[in-house]
Amino acid sequence: MHLPLGLPEPRPVPPGQYSAWDRALALLNRDLAATLPGVEPLRLFALPADDPNEPEYVFVALSNGEWHGSQLDPDSRATPAAALAAVADAAQETVMELLWQAWPLCPEHGLGMHPETDAEDQVSWWCAGARSRSGSAHVHRAVGELAAVSTPLPPARP
Ligand SMILES: [Zn+2]
């Protein structure tokens, strides 16, 4: 009798191992705390890659170690903006699929927002809802800034 070969157990990633993703996740967790206060902060979990010569797979998971979606692209650690965009995408996938809700929501339109990186490497939550007259999508806030006190948004850059 053999026990069935189990999948490897996901390993909680200790702080500091992937500092670029840690910093990005700290910003994401600020937004999570601001918008879903009942949800524990997200964490990084890792699994060995199928090919032992490849870097391990790292995921953005709920505090219980469950995630949904693909692993973080190892190349996204190259810049803070790339790390933040990758972690925001992964966090959004995990929250939406496992908590069954669009997140984060634009308070103006009630639509789920998506992380976008602008030409200056600022990663922000974008809403597809149209503002009156302008008729185009809008940036709600920088990722990590959803908790900021509500102030009128600055005029769009020309
Ligand atoms: Zn909106």
Side-chain angles (χ1 to χ4, degrees):
M1 284 290 286
H2 291 283
L3 289 171
L5 283 173
L7 292 168
E9 277 288 297
R11 171 181 73 83
V13 173
Q17 186 178 357
Y18 297 108
S19 52
W21 289 334
D22 280 346
R23 283 192 291 272
L25 193 57
L27 287 173
L28 257 292
N29 278 328
R30 284 170 54 178
D31 285 350
L32 189 72
T35 53
L36 295 175
V39 178
E40 295 285 310
L42 303 175
R43 299 181 59 180
L44 298 178
F45 275 74
L47 276 179
D50 298 332
D51 177 346
N53 297 316
E54 293 292 315
E56 67 181 349
Y57 301 142
V58 180
F59 301 89
V60 176
L62 299 179
S63 59
N64 66 3
E66 291 179 39
W67 71 81
H68 191 274
S70 49
Q71 71 270 19
L72 294 170
D73 178 354
D75 295 340
S76 71
R77 296 161 65 198
T79 69
L84 185 53
V87 168
D89 266 334
Q92 186 166 47
E93 177 97 7
T94 288
V95 169
M96 292 205 303
E97 291 297 327
L98 297 178
L99 303 180
W100 293 1
Q101 55 191 295
W103 177 82
L105 293 177
C106 172
E108 200 174 320
H109 297 104
L111 299 172
M113 299 187 287
H114 298 281
E116 294 282 352
T117 307
D118 70 14
E120 284 151 26
D121 264 1
Q122 173 71 58
V123 185
S124 301
W125 293 115
W126 275 76
C127 167
R131 288 227 161 107
S132 57
R133 289 206 283 242
S134 74
S136 59
H138 68 96
V139 173
H140 178 54
R141 271 185 203 290
V143 172
E145 298 297 329
L146 293 185
V149 288
S150 185
T151 50
L153 290 169
R157 280 191 294 264

